[in-house]
Amino acid sequence: MKLIILSIILAYCVTVNCQDACPVEAGAPSSTPTVPTSCEAKEGECIDTRCATCKRDILSDGLCENKPGKTCCRMCQYVIECRVEAAGYFRTFYGKRFNFQEPGKYVLARGTKGGDWSVTLTMENLDGQKGAVLTKTTLEVAGDVIDITQAIADPITVNGGADPVIANPFTIGEVTIAVVEIPGFNITVIEFFKLIVIDILGGRSVRIAPDTANKGLISGICGNLEMNDADDFTTDADQLAIQPNINKEFDGCPFYGNPSDIEYCKGLMEPYRAVCRNNINFYYYTLSCAFAYCMGGEERAKHVLFDYVETCAAPETRGTCVLSGHTFYDTFDKARYQFQGPCKEILMAADCYWNTWDVKVSHRDVESYTEVEKVTIRKQSTVVDLIVDGKQVKVGGEDVSIPYSSENTSIYWQDGDILTTAILPEALVVKFNFKQLLVVHIRDPFDGKTCGICGNYNQDSTDDFFDAEGACALTPNPPGCTEEQKPEAERLCNSLFDTSIDEKCNVCYKPDRIARCMYEYCLRGQQGFCDHAWEFKKECYIKHGDTLEVPPECQ
């Protein structure tokens, strides 16, 4: 009989209108959800009183936007990304949305340290249409130039055609290009060792998602990645240059859409709404489609439809699985487990389709509980061992110095004490602090093709479970908090996860977070609490780029 380890499965948002919203907390009556059930807005105000009041913005009627620091619906995991949409709308890293349709070439994002990469957009006016549309995206990385022509069947040219794309995935220099096949269309995914991911969607849309390791090291129309609302369109030269020409309306084509155009777009998009597996705001895309239809007819409206369908079908920019504390797992699909057992090389995550990589974790006994002893990362025949004792790093059984780079593997320190191992073209990133924080990021080429305790990455938490049968002898969890420990544990942990956290790390399911914190305190006292606080600080930075202060007791 299979033993399924303690798991708490997170339900998805109960509405399709709330992107990345937290689930209703377990045990809460369905009629009185503890988080907003709608992101809809009217006259600039959120309909659901549990949402914050959103800034008036283009299309503020119809939706409340999730924004760091101005959250309308709490988010389980905020993925930092900048988007260029088919109707001419841009979204910065912070979340500011604006419309821009001036012909020319513009820097979407560039590296400001070393200056060895950039993403440039070409926008052109097409005959018979108003405004301008995205026709080409150009990525330059360390001397290699990748041109992506939008809205054609074979869009990729490398170094002017001198380097033909002969494989999928295809790697040149620091860059990996993968064409991800999704029923009905393809998405071109480009990633390089700066941990910048670029998705080229099938119509005229682009999204760029940088790892938080790039915080403060990017400039361009997308912003500076400082995640500071006050910085957007105040300091960046590329943003300031286009500011006079943003949000310009065109005669006869209001941003809110003409009624007849809205009806046309509803009919165009409605068949895809029922099969949309992501929490995408249908009303927003309907208005974008109506605006595009007025500007350029059926062809431009079709590209908004592509954008909607692709965003509905494609996963978030990357999946994230986290091991923290003693020993809690958050899967790619946001299910949660606590697992205690001195297993040797327990499978954390793996590519179970092509068998190109896997991540395994070894535990060891420490009195009445277990903790991480070693992390092993395999890519084809290359094996990387990260050993806690002495912070040893071995590749192929041999000690290596950091930073390390060989073929498609790069290993370096991030934020002082987080070792990052990036493996391309498999687009696998592993981050480990040599204590009890291990983070695995994967890209959407593995959508639905992974296994291990991190689960099958398919945006469905209900099939995430860990089969421990025969894996190892489980170590019983130590007793819970004693009556003497409980008051101090509650005081410390409630102060760690106070309301100020909501606006930074967007902590989802806070009662569970507090319970984990109390578990660590009651397990190891003040040291356990402080280790937990420091690891949460690192987790927050890795996921969201936010910098937190640890409690005074731990400084």
Side-chain angles (χ1 to χ4, degrees):
M1 175 179 178
K2 292 184 177 181
L3 173 62
I4 300 178
I5 304 302
L6 171 65
S7 63
I8 305 173
I9 304 300
L10 294 178
Y12 279 99
C13 183
V14 296
T15 172
V16 297
N17 289 330
C18 186
Q19 183 176 352
D20 296 333
C22 285
V24 176
E25 293 178 5
S30 59
S31 59
T32 56
T34 58
V35 295
T37 59
S38 174
C39 286
E40 291 184 292
K42 186 176 182 180
E43 298 178 358
E45 299 292 330
C46 299
I47 292 173
D48 194 311
T49 57
R50 286 173 292 267
C51 286
T53 299
C54 291
K55 286 184 174 180
R56 280 196 70 88
D57 212 334
I58 298 173
L59 305 184
S60 59
D61 288 347
L63 79 160
C64 286
E65 290 187 279
N66 281 322
K67 295 181 180 180
K70 293 180 175 59
T71 305
C72 301
C73 294
R74 290 178 59 211
M75 294 169 286
C76 291
Q77 183 175 326
Y78 179 70
V79 177
I80 300 170
E81 69 176 18
C82 174
R83 296 179 68 93
V84 182
E85 300 175 357
Y89 289 104
F90 289 66
R91 289 176 184 263
T92 67
F93 291 131
Y94 184 79
K96 180 178 177 62
R97 185 175 71 243
F98 60 91
N99 194 280
F100 178 68
Q101 299 206 35
E102 290 291 320
K105 292 186 177 181
Y106 305 95
V107 176
L108 187 65
R110 65 161 72 85
T112 57
K113 187 175 181 180
D116 56 353
W117 70 272
S118 65
V119 179
T120 304
L121 305 179
T122 300
M123 300 184 67
E124 298 181 63
N125 176 266
L126 302 181
D127 292 341
Q129 299 185 14
K130 301 177 181 178
V133 296
L134 174 63
T135 57
K136 186 170 72 172
T137 302
T138 300
L139 168 67
E140 297 185 44
V141 180
D144 290 310
V145 179
I146 296 92
D147 290 309
I148 305 97
T149 303
Q150 305 288 151
I152 65 172
D154 298 307
I156 306 169
T157 304
V158 180
N159 293 326
D163 295 291
V165 180
I166 57 175
N168 185 28
F170 172 76
T171 299
I172 182 168
E174 297 184 9
V175 181
T176 293
I177 304 169
V179 177
V180 182
E181 297 180 357
I182 294 176
F185 56 87
N186 295 336
I187 296 178
T188 302
V189 179
I190 302 174
E191 187 162 8
F192 54 101
F193 276 132
K194 294 292 184 181
L195 300 185
I196 310 290
V197 179
I198 304 163
D199 288 347
I200 310 296
L201 305 185
R204 299 192 185 278
S205 302
V206 174
R207 58 190 181 195
I208 174 170
D211 189 271
T212 54
N214 294 280
K215 185 177 180 181
L217 302 178
I218 294 179
S219 66
I221 291 177
C222 287
N224 62 12
L225 200 63
E226 288 288 357
M227 304 310 294
N228 185 351
D229 186 26
D231 286 349
D232 260 348
F233 286 89
T234 59
T235 59
D236 187 272
D238 295 290
Q239 288 184 332
L240 294 174
I242 69 169
Q243 190 170 25
N245 293 313
I246 67 174
N247 300 338
K248 291 174 62 176
E249 293 200 7
F250 293 80
D251 289 343
C253 296
F255 288 132
Y256 289 93
N258 293 311
S260 59
D261 297 337
I262 291 174
E263 290 305 310
Y264 168 81
C265 286
K266 283 183 178 178
L268 184 68
M269 299 171 65
E270 190 67 42
Y272 301 93
R273 186 178 187 181
V275 295
C276 186
R277 70 176 186 175
N278 290 329
N279 296 317
I280 305 302
N281 190 293
F282 178 79
Y283 186 72
Y284 165 73
Y285 277 96
T286 302
L287 296 187
S288 295
C289 171
F291 177 65
Y293 182 66
C294 181
M295 294 286 288
E298 293 182 2
E299 183 69 15
R300 204 182 293 193
K302 182 180 71 175
H303 291 145
V304 177
L305 175 64
F306 284 164
D307 193 359
Y308 175 72
V309 174
E310 290 168 335
T311 306
C312 277
E316 291 180 340
T317 319
R318 65 182 180 186
T320 299
C321 179
V322 179
L323 179 158
S324 62
H326 295 85
T327 34
F328 296 94
Y329 287 86
D330 295 273
T331 73
F332 295 125
D333 292 323
K334 303 181 180 71
R336 299 194 301 277
Y337 304 92
Q338 183 182 21
F339 171 77
Q340 286 278 318
C343 299
K344 295 301 179 183
E345 293 197 334
I346 192 77
L347 186 66
M348 182 171 178
D351 160 24
C352 295
Y353 188 78
W354 295 287
N355 193 32
T356 56
W357 61 265
D358 53 55
V359 179
K360 297 177 180 179
V361 182
S362 298
H363 298 84
R364 61 184 171 191
D365 280 317
V366 182
E367 298 176 353
S368 59
Y369 57 93
T370 59
E371 64 183 19
V372 176
E373 180 179 44
K374 182 177 71 171
V375 176
T376 300
I377 307 159
R378 179 189 66 85
K379 186 262 180 180
Q380 302 287 19
S381 60
T382 300
V383 177
V384 179
D385 288 314
L386 310 178
I387 303 169
V388 171
D389 290 342
K391 293 187 175 181
Q392 301 174 69
V393 181
K394 296 179 181 288
V395 178
E398 300 293 328
D399 291 324
V400 298
S401 57
I402 307 301
Y404 169 86
S405 182
S406 176
E407 296 181 350
N408 293 321
T409 302
S410 181
I411 306 174
Y412 53 90
W413 292 104
Q414 176 186 343
D415 196 33
D417 62 353
I418 300 172
L419 190 73
T420 299
T421 304
I423 295 178
L424 300 176
E426 278 68 30
L428 167 72
V429 179
V430 179
K431 299 178 180 180
F432 184 44
N433 72 342
F434 286 96
K435 293 181 181 177
Q436 291 297 123
L437 179 63
L438 176 62
V439 178
V440 177
H441 298 303
I442 60 172
R443 287 284 298 136
D444 46 17
F446 300 103
D447 177 26
K449 300 179 178 70
T450 59
C451 59
I453 202 167
C454 288
N456 178 24
Y457 180 36
N458 60 354
Q459 296 179 294
D460 179 5
S461 63
T462 61
D463 62 359
D464 283 357
F465 65 91
F466 176 60
D467 179 9
E469 182 179 6
C472 63
L474 302 182
T475 300
N477 291 334
C481 294
T482 65
E483 290 302 315
E484 291 77 14
Q485 289 175 314
K486 192 172 181 180
E488 181 65 3
E490 289 179 339
R491 182 189 72 82
L492 290 171
C493 295
N494 278 291
S495 66
L496 180 61
F497 294 99
D498 64 13
T499 54
S500 65
I501 295 296
D502 294 345
E503 293 190 350
K504 282 199 170 184
C505 281
N506 294 301
V507 174
C508 198
Y509 203 77
K510 190 178 292 186
D512 178 71
R513 282 288 188 172
I514 293 172
R516 292 184 184 192
C517 174
M518 292 178 63
Y519 179 92
E520 297 294 338
Y521 173 82
C522 296
L523 190 70
R524 299 169 55 237
Q526 186 82 8
Q527 187 62 50
F529 168 75
C530 288
D531 285 350
H532 183 77
W534 277 100
E535 286 174 1
F536 174 69
K537 172 184 168 73
K538 298 298 182 185
E539 182 182 347
C540 183
Y541 182 83
I542 288 171
K543 283 185 175 181
H544 310 283
D546 289 324
T547 302
L548 300 180
E549 294 295 327
V550 295
E553 298 91 336
C554 304
Q555 293 178 357

